[in-house]
Amino acid sequence: MEPVLAELDSVSKSYAGVPVLKRVNFSVRAGEIHALLGGNGAGKSTLMKILAGLVQASGGEVRIANAPLEPATPAQALAMGLYLVPQEAHIFPNQSVLENICIGLPKPSAAYRARVEELIAQIGVPLSPDTKAATLEIADRQIVEILRGLIREAKVLILDEPTSALTPHEVQTLFARMQALRAAGHGLVFISHKLHELRAVCDRITVLRDGNVVLSAGMDQSTDADILTAMSPGVTELEARGAGKQISRGVVLSLDALSGEGFVDISFEVRRGEVLGLTGVVGAGRTELAETLVGLRPRGSGDVILEGQAFLANSPSDAVRQGIVHLSEDRQQYGLFLAAPLFWNASSFVHDRLPFFLRPNAERKRFAQYRDMLGIKCASPDQPAGSLSGGNQQKVLLAKCLAAEPKLLILDEPTRGVDVGARNDIYRIIEELAAQGTSVLLISSDFDEVVRLSDRITVMAGGHVAGELPAGATPDEISQLAFEAQEAEHV
Amino acid sequence: MFERIARDRVATLFLVTVAVLLLVGLAAPGFLSAGTATIIWSNGLVLMLVALGIFPVILTRNIDVSGGSILGLSAVVLGLALNDGFALPLALGFALGAGICAGVVNGLLVAGLGVPSIVATLGTLGLFRGVMLIATGGEWIEELPEALKSLGAKSYGGLSIMGIITALVIVAVWWFLRSRRGRWVMVTGDNREAAHHLGLPVRRIELLAFAWAGAMYALAGITFAAQIGFVPNQAGSGIELRAIAALVLGGISLLGGVGSVGGVVIGVIFFTSIDTSLVFLKIPAYWNDLIGGAMLLGVLLIDGRLRIALEARDRAARYRRGSNTEQKSQPLEDAA
């Protein structure tokens, strides 16, 4: 048996008397990749933050290389050879990519430039070490965070959902790096909601539910059904959506040769009650297109027709008034008001429809309807939004969008970083909305998700429409279309 | 060329300052001389030291408005010690020590107890001024010894000893910010959580920034006392706001993480130049605040507009490059 590199010994944690972790044991050995799985609120992130010294345990002991983590600070954990790549990238916006990666290392950043460039080339992303971090897209920020972990060559490397913003190709190269580290005797913890990813690289699996370890076994010895049952008893499998229904209803939105920042000559239609999947690899121009539609970016040539009338929005709130609501992928910037009560958040898109003297009880009631419809788990409508878990926050964002009663709902990566249970709920909500006649433009890099939900699929690559596929297309077909067009672009 | 200057706040402000000085030179012959330069430097010393003190605090995304009070407190400690017969070096040590202690109090409140810096230093703004007034019993301290005054007198090629020390401090700060630890100060203000996550001692960095600020206010207090030869009750009152205005003008972001020593120096010199020019133009001194404030707003507004326009152009250029491969040969035509 290989030596244990890091260990949590019956660790407990409670916040304000509410237990989050109950005497959890967890260990990482040299030369293994350990999968950690669990629904939102299961305690995975807290567990890893305790291991990394970011959160203090209420009981139990944390040991790294057989020595207790003392004092329990990130600096000490780093010194003892452990690094946590967090789920949300922590970026210094005013520093270069190189500084972002190398800050805190013992030598000046210039000393690591060659190594950073080598890693960037290996992963195969177009990222320059001298770019100012403020200009990076979400996916690139995630890559910077992963590079931080790789360059530190920590003996124990924890990756909290590192693949959520990566393209399939980048995921493969990340896996290759992880396997190389494992071969070199490092121990890794890999947190992901995607079972097939965990299967591809992990040796052992631990499943958490409600702060308890409910499954701990070799990866080979557990079937998908075992793992899903352990995670959330009752949910056995992601239900597939009925085959793409024939839609012959009227056109809600049509784009005619629209151009703007990052995309050229885009034409497509969205019909009433239809889910149009808009997919492609990162950098295809999908997010830019959505942001242009709602007035976040300047629009170039081309026409947009909404229900027979020319549509032009100067700002997202202007777009809301005209019937297009946009849920941004950048939840940190365009997300919730974290300190405000849930019901404020739910009506924040429609503040201009509220009476001059607010009627909080009416708002609370309205929120309660959405809470029941979307299955938001919360104690009270007056709770601050920041106190909810990620999946529940995403549902509150959906509530805020629905409150605006959109004709067209644009969802940009609606399930990124959301666990299986909440993801299923969000899928169900999207289907119900479509059935009720709302049109949905679903932007997603998760080809499986696009296939599951979409009535039609438009694939973008390099700012162009690479092709359109009917419902029932396979993820492989999408992938082929998205990457072929990209290759052609690069030659 | 124009664009590079427009992109750099320090360069823009430098040119504006030069333009103002040239215009004043046209209006008042004899203004443009080495003598005027040393006057501007000497008049700006106190403001410069206070600005250099607040600078690292603002870089860490905190603020310190107690600078004027600490300046006064240090000057009083210096004056009382001298009048009690302590030797000058010892008295200077006491003043510096008082400034550092006061800075550490600020730092402990902010970094140790987690009090928001604006709240903490608004409190100590009153507290330190109060301590100073109690120490003097509300009296002015006068008849300071010649040895102290000689520190502020122009003796070396038009520069005073305090003027030379200030120049050395500027070089030291410039050098420090280029070092690895200096970068720590910048990134702590840029994203505190990220800095903590990467193992930087963020609390210690904040504490040291406030302690440094205290030391600089003390130097400013010593300079103040040496230059005017006595310590009035309101010594330093309000100077922290002028220093913060000069920093903002010099491109130091109040949101932390952005700024350079060059910006601090040029911001302070700009303000002092205007004050000095008004004297030459024989405009009454009570016009200073109005004109200084108007120039501050003017520069910031123009600079802000310029920046927005340049950013929009950059973004457009980036997307043109990124999305349109078949137009790769176009830039040549554009350039022609």
Side-chain angles (χ1 to χ4, degrees), chain B residues 235-311:
Chain B
S237 182
I239 197 168
E240 61 281 338
L241 294 183
R242 277 174 64 81
I244 292 168
L247 291 175
V248 170
L249 199 58
I252 286 91
S253 166
L254 291 178
L255 299 176
V258 179
S260 67
V261 190
V264 180
V265 173
I266 196 70
V268 171
I269 288 184
F270 177 78
F271 264 118
T272 322
S273 303
I274 289 179
D275 289 356
T276 312
S277 306
L278 295 181
V279 174
F280 262 82
L281 295 172
K282 303 204 171 59
I283 295 171
Y286 51 78
W287 278 82
N288 284 13
D289 286 347
L290 183 115
I291 293 174
M295 305 250 348
L296 173 74
L297 281 179
V299 171
L300 290 183
L301 277 177
I302 294 167
D303 185 76
R305 290 285 128 191
L306 214 59
R307 212 155 291 271
I308 290 169
L310 285 171
E311 258 167 34

Side-chain angles (χ1 to χ4, degrees), chain A residues 195-218:
Chain A
L195 256 180
H196 66 274
E197 287 186 349
L198 298 176
R199 284 237 177 268
V201 285
C202 295
D203 307 300
R204 266 206 292 165
I205 182 165
T206 294
V207 178
L208 280 180
R209 191 177 73 231
D210 299 330
N212 292 302
V213 174
V214 287
L215 177 76
S216 179

Side-chain angles (χ1 to χ4, degrees), chain A residues 54 74-75 78 83-84 86 90-95 99 103-108 148 152 261-262 288 297-298 462 489, chain B residues 180 183-184 186-188 190-191 193-200 256-258 312 315-316 318-319 322-326:
Chain A
L54 284 158
L78 271 165
Y83 185 72
L84 163 69
H90 295 312
I91 289 296
F92 302 112
N94 291 305
Q95 300 288 335
E99 285 296 344
I103 200 89
L105 288 172
K107 282 185 257 173
R148 273 181 185 155
R152 279 170 173 72
E261 291 179 347
E288 289 86 346
R297 290 168 184 267
E489 194 83 10
Chain B
R180 199 164 61 89
R183 194 57 64 92
W184 288 9
M186 308 281 284
V187 301
T188 299
D190 210 352
N191 187 340
E193 199 188 336
H196 177 62
H197 181 88
L198 289 169
L200 304 192
V258 179
R315 233 171 43 159
R318 195 161 71 233
Y319 280 109
S323 65
N324 245 348
T325 27
E326 58 271 17

